[in-house]
Amino acid sequence: MASTLRSVKGLTALVTGGASGLGRGTVEVLAKSGANVVILDIPMSKGAEVAKEIGPNVIFTPADVTKTDQVAASFETLKKNFGNVDAIVNCAGIAYAFKLYSFSKKGLPEFSKIQRTLDVNVMGAFNVIAYGMHTMAEKPKDEFGQRGVVINTASVAAFDGQTGQSAYSASKGAIVGMTLPLARDFSDEGVRFMTIAPGLFDTPLLSSLPEKVHNFLKNLVPNPRRLGSPQEYGELVKHIIEVELFFKF
């Protein structure tokens, strides 16, 4: 098996959750390297501001990943501006910290939070992937028999969830579980599927957790003792997009 590197320059990527955190770090890295980037984020996000700040090759399409009509509209906007999509990066996600049941308070959880976590983190990814495949189906394969790549964001919590992360861990475990079947489903169509399971990164999502939980998680990092940078995540995404693997017989 050999590999070849292709530049992301001139390629088009759609990044969900691209207005902040890992998504914004990814947008910054790809845009700086010459890719066209579409930020898909909720309407009340700073997506338009971020797009303007990063550069003319970045546009914002307001959408809720749980709404199929809004996701479809985002891909139509992408096609009008850039033709088609080469990479889809799912970074949109939410997290709530709570135990399923409190023995001391004898209180049941807010089940709506569990449902919302699964809707955004799991169904949101499925929605974006489905419309992404619908869009990629309109483009021919390249010289390596490829149409594009989908990169999903799981979490170390999918394998090593901490206290209060049951719903979040379940949602990220689903992302891990869908990766191989999707890769098999679309291999003949020339679409690669990858999932990154990042550890602790300095993002608004982590900052939104209670301070006690935030500090506990931060102190789990053994070496180097720091949180990851969203730009570091973006560099890994860029590398995955650039590398195409093929067999020589």
Side-chain angles (χ1 to χ4, degrees):
M1 183 174 68
S3 65
T4 182
L5 284 174
R6 64 182 299 182
S7 171
V8 298
K9 184 176 182 180
L11 298 183
T12 297
L14 180 140
V15 182
T16 71
S20 65
L22 299 181
R24 174 167 181 163
T26 299
V27 172
E28 291 174 348
V29 169
L30 295 180
K32 182 179 179 181
S33 301
N36 302 312
V37 186
V38 176
I39 296 173
L40 188 162
D41 214 318
I42 54 178
M44 61 283 294
S45 72
K46 295 183 178 180
E49 179 182 325
V50 171
K52 183 177 180 180
E53 179 182 334
I54 294 177
N57 55 331
V58 180
I59 64 172
F60 172 57
T61 60
D64 180 336
V65 294
T66 68
K67 310 295 184 183
T68 55
D69 58 334
Q70 295 181 23
V71 172
S74 291
F75 277 101
E76 288 301 317
T77 299
L78 179 150
K79 289 193 293 182
K80 290 178 183 177
N81 284 271
F82 301 123
N84 210 298
V85 64
D86 301 290
I88 297 166
V89 188
N90 280 312
C91 291
I94 61 172
Y96 298 105
F98 61 89
K99 290 185 178 180
L100 186 63
Y101 181 80
S102 171
F103 275 72
S104 61
K105 298 179 181 179
K106 294 183 172 57
L108 290 169
E110 295 181 46
F111 287 103
S112 60
K113 289 184 176 180
I114 299 174
Q115 188 64 59
R116 180 64 178 164
T117 300
L118 296 175
D119 285 345
V120 174
N121 297 358
V122 182
M123 286 307 303
F126 272 124
N127 289 340
V128 173
I129 292 169
Y131 282 96
M133 296 304 95
H134 186 63
T135 304
M136 281 188 185
E138 299 177 5
K139 64 187 288 190
K141 296 179 181 178
D142 64 16
E143 64 269 32
F144 300 110
Q146 299 296 303
R147 281 193 172 94
V149 58
V150 176
I151 302 171
N152 292 321
T153 304
S155 169
V156 66
F159 311 99
D160 189 19
Q162 302 298 321
T163 300
Q165 289 188 326
S166 59
Y168 180 71
S169 294
S171 70
K172 292 305 182 178
I175 297 297
V176 172
M178 72 170 69
T179 304
L180 184 55
L182 285 170
R184 287 172 169 151
D185 286 347
F186 295 100
S187 60
D188 289 344
E189 305 302 334
V191 183
R192 292 182 294 135
F193 278 81
M194 303 289 287
T195 288
I196 301 172
L200 298 174
F201 277 73
D202 189 10
T203 67
L205 185 62
L206 186 63
S207 299
S208 69
L209 297 174
E211 184 177 359
K212 181 179 179 180
V213 177
H214 183 277
N215 291 334
F216 172 76
L217 293 174
K218 183 178 179 180
N219 290 332
L220 291 176
V221 181
N223 184 36
R225 285 196 173 277
R226 65 173 178 84
L227 298 176
S229 161
Q231 286 71 30
E232 292 174 315
Y233 183 90
E235 290 290 349
L236 179 55
V237 168
K238 175 175 174 285
H239 179 71
I240 292 173
I241 295 172
E242 289 177 333
V243 175
E244 290 185 337
L245 300 178
F246 60 96
F247 289 93
K248 287 186 176 179
F249 295 97

